PDB file of all heavy atoms in Angstrom:
ATOM      1  N   ARG M  94     -69.921  64.667  -6.913  1.00 98.00           N
ATOM      2  CA  ARG M  94     -69.285  63.396  -7.206  1.00 98.00           C
ATOM      3  C   ARG M  94     -69.978  62.711  -8.371  1.00 98.00           C
ATOM      4  O   ARG M  94     -69.347  62.056  -9.215  1.00 98.00           O
ATOM      5  CB  ARG M  94     -69.320  62.484  -5.958  1.00 98.00           C
ATOM      6  CG  ARG M  94     -68.430  62.988  -4.832  1.00 98.00           C
ATOM      7  CD  ARG M  94     -68.409  62.037  -3.674  1.00 98.00           C
ATOM      8  NE  ARG M  94     -67.761  60.768  -4.038  1.00 98.00           N
ATOM      9  CZ  ARG M  94     -67.606  59.746  -3.203  1.00 98.00           C
ATOM     10  NH1 ARG M  94     -68.047  59.838  -1.959  1.00 98.00           N
ATOM     11  NH2 ARG M  94     -67.033  58.620  -3.587  1.00 98.00           N
ATOM     12  N   THR M  95     -71.290  62.825  -8.458  1.00 98.00           N
ATOM     13  CA  THR M  95     -72.011  62.260  -9.588  1.00 98.00           C
ATOM     14  C   THR M  95     -71.617  62.925 -10.890  1.00 98.00           C
ATOM     15  O   THR M  95     -71.315  62.238 -11.887  1.00 98.00           O
ATOM     16  CB  THR M  95     -73.536  62.404  -9.362  1.00 98.00           C
ATOM     17  OG1 THR M  95     -73.909  61.658  -8.200  1.00 98.00           O
ATOM     18  CG2 THR M  95     -74.326  61.923 -10.566  1.00 98.00           C
ATOM     19  N   LEU M  96     -71.564  64.247 -10.897  1.00 98.00           N
ATOM     20  CA  LEU M  96     -71.258  64.985 -12.123  1.00 98.00           C
ATOM     21  C   LEU M  96     -69.783  64.798 -12.502  1.00 98.00           C
ATOM     22  O   LEU M  96     -69.453  64.645 -13.670  1.00 98.00           O
ATOM     23  CB  LEU M  96     -71.574  66.488 -11.923  1.00 98.00           C
ATOM     24  CG  LEU M  96     -73.060  66.780 -11.722  1.00 98.00           C
ATOM     25  CD1 LEU M  96     -73.249  68.281 -11.389  1.00 98.00           C
ATOM     26  CD2 LEU M  96     -73.887  66.423 -12.956  1.00 98.00           C
ATOM     27  N   ASP M  97     -68.910  64.834 -11.508  1.00 98.00           N
ATOM     28  CA  ASP M  97     -67.483  64.627 -11.810  1.00 98.00           C
ATOM     29  C   ASP M  97     -67.241  63.219 -12.326  1.00 98.00           C
ATOM     30  O   ASP M  97     -66.344  62.991 -13.176  1.00 98.00           O
ATOM     31  CB  ASP M  97     -66.631  64.864 -10.560  1.00 98.00           C
ATOM     32  CG  ASP M  97     -66.277  66.356 -10.353  1.00 98.00           C
ATOM     33  OD1 ASP M  97     -66.317  67.088 -11.370  1.00 98.00           O
ATOM     34  OD2 ASP M  97     -65.993  66.723  -9.228  1.00 98.00           O
ATOM     35  N   GLY M  98     -67.995  62.226 -11.830  1.00 98.00           N
ATOM     36  CA  GLY M  98     -67.877  60.877 -12.345  1.00 98.00           C
ATOM     37  C   GLY M  98     -68.176  60.818 -13.828  1.00 98.00           C
ATOM     38  O   GLY M  98     -67.541  60.071 -14.591  1.00 98.00           O
ATOM     39  N   LEU M  99     -69.188  61.570 -14.240  1.00 98.00           N
ATOM     40  CA  LEU M  99     -69.534  61.630 -15.680  1.00 98.00           C
ATOM     41  C   LEU M  99     -68.411  62.270 -16.477  1.00 98.00           C
ATOM     42  O   LEU M  99     -68.059  61.805 -17.554  1.00 98.00           O
ATOM     43  CB  LEU M  99     -70.843  62.388 -15.864  1.00 98.00           C
ATOM     44  CG  LEU M  99     -72.106  61.668 -15.355  1.00 98.00           C
ATOM     45  CD1 LEU M  99     -73.290  62.585 -15.358  1.00 98.00           C
ATOM     46  CD2 LEU M  99     -72.388  60.419 -16.190  1.00 98.00           C
ATOM     47  N   LEU M 100     -67.886  63.382 -15.960  1.00 98.00           N
ATOM     48  CA  LEU M 100     -66.806  64.059 -16.659  1.00 98.00           C
ATOM     49  C   LEU M 100     -65.576  63.186 -16.757  1.00 98.00           C
ATOM     50  O   LEU M 100     -64.853  63.138 -17.773  1.00 98.00           O
ATOM     51  CB  LEU M 100     -66.460  65.363 -15.962  1.00 98.00           C
ATOM     52  CG  LEU M 100     -67.529  66.483 -16.042  1.00 98.00           C
ATOM     53  CD1 LEU M 100     -67.121  67.670 -15.195  1.00 98.00           C
ATOM     54  CD2 LEU M 100     -67.767  66.910 -17.496  1.00 98.00           C
ATOM     55  N   GLU M 101     -65.256  62.494 -15.672  1.00 98.00           N
ATOM     56  CA  GLU M 101     -64.068  61.622 -15.634  1.00 98.00           C
ATOM     57  C   GLU M 101     -64.213  60.438 -16.590  1.00 98.00           C
ATOM     58  O   GLU M 101     -63.269  60.072 -17.258  1.00 98.00           O
ATOM     59  CB  GLU M 101     -63.833  61.118 -14.219  1.00 98.00           C
ATOM     60  CG  GLU M 101     -62.584  60.284 -14.055  1.00 98.00           C
ATOM     61  CD  GLU M 101     -62.344  59.863 -12.638  1.00 98.00           C
ATOM     62  OE1 GLU M 101     -63.131  60.243 -11.754  1.00 98.00           O
ATOM     63  OE2 GLU M 101     -61.355  59.140 -12.403  1.00 98.00           O
ATOM     64  N   SER M 102     -65.407  59.853 -16.659  1.00 98.00           N
ATOM     65  CA  SER M 102     -65.612  58.661 -17.438  1.00 98.00           C
ATOM     66  C   SER M 102     -65.911  58.972 -18.909  1.00 98.00           C
ATOM     67  O   SER M 102     -65.582  58.213 -19.781  1.00 98.00           O
ATOM     68  CB  SER M 102     -66.760  57.815 -16.865  1.00 98.00           C
ATOM     69  OG  SER M 102     -66.440  57.377 -15.576  1.00 98.00           O
ATOM     70  N   LEU M 103     -66.550  60.090 -19.160  1.00 98.00           N
ATOM     71  CA  LEU M 103     -67.001  60.409 -20.516  1.00 98.00           C
ATOM     72  C   LEU M 103     -66.447  61.736 -21.031  1.00 98.00           C
ATOM     73  O   LEU M 103     -66.968  62.311 -21.959  1.00 98.00           O
ATOM     74  CB  LEU M 103     -68.530  60.471 -20.540  1.00 98.00           C
ATOM     75  CG  LEU M 103     -69.222  59.177 -20.134  1.00 98.00           C
ATOM     76  CD1 LEU M 103     -70.733  59.361 -19.994  1.00 98.00           C
ATOM     77  CD2 LEU M 103     -68.924  58.049 -21.133  1.00 98.00           C
ATOM     78  N   GLY M 104     -65.326  62.168 -20.448  1.00 96.00           N
ATOM     79  CA  GLY M 104     -64.727  63.399 -20.906  1.00 96.00           C
ATOM     80  C   GLY M 104     -64.186  63.319 -22.326  1.00 96.00           C
ATOM     81  O   GLY M 104     -63.932  64.354 -22.934  1.00 96.00           O
ATOM     82  N   HIS M 105     -64.008  62.125 -22.867  1.00 96.00           N
ATOM     83  CA  HIS M 105     -63.496  61.964 -24.220  1.00 96.00           C
ATOM     84  C   HIS M 105     -64.633  62.061 -25.253  1.00 96.00           C
ATOM     85  O   HIS M 105     -64.392  61.960 -26.420  1.00 96.00           O
ATOM     86  CB  HIS M 105     -62.788  60.613 -24.363  1.00 96.00           C
ATOM     87  CG  HIS M 105     -63.656  59.440 -23.983  1.00 96.00           C
ATOM     88  ND1 HIS M 105     -63.997  59.141 -22.703  1.00 96.00           N
ATOM     89  CD2 HIS M 105     -64.264  58.509 -24.761  1.00 96.00           C
ATOM     90  CE1 HIS M 105     -64.763  58.070 -22.679  1.00 96.00           C
ATOM     91  NE2 HIS M 105     -64.949  57.660 -23.937  1.00 96.00           N
TER      92      HIS M 105
END
Side-chain angles (χ1 to χ4, degrees):
R94 292 185 66 180
T95 296
L96 296 173
D97 276 337
L99 290 170
L100 292 175
E101 183 177 359
S102 298
L103 300 173
H105 57 286

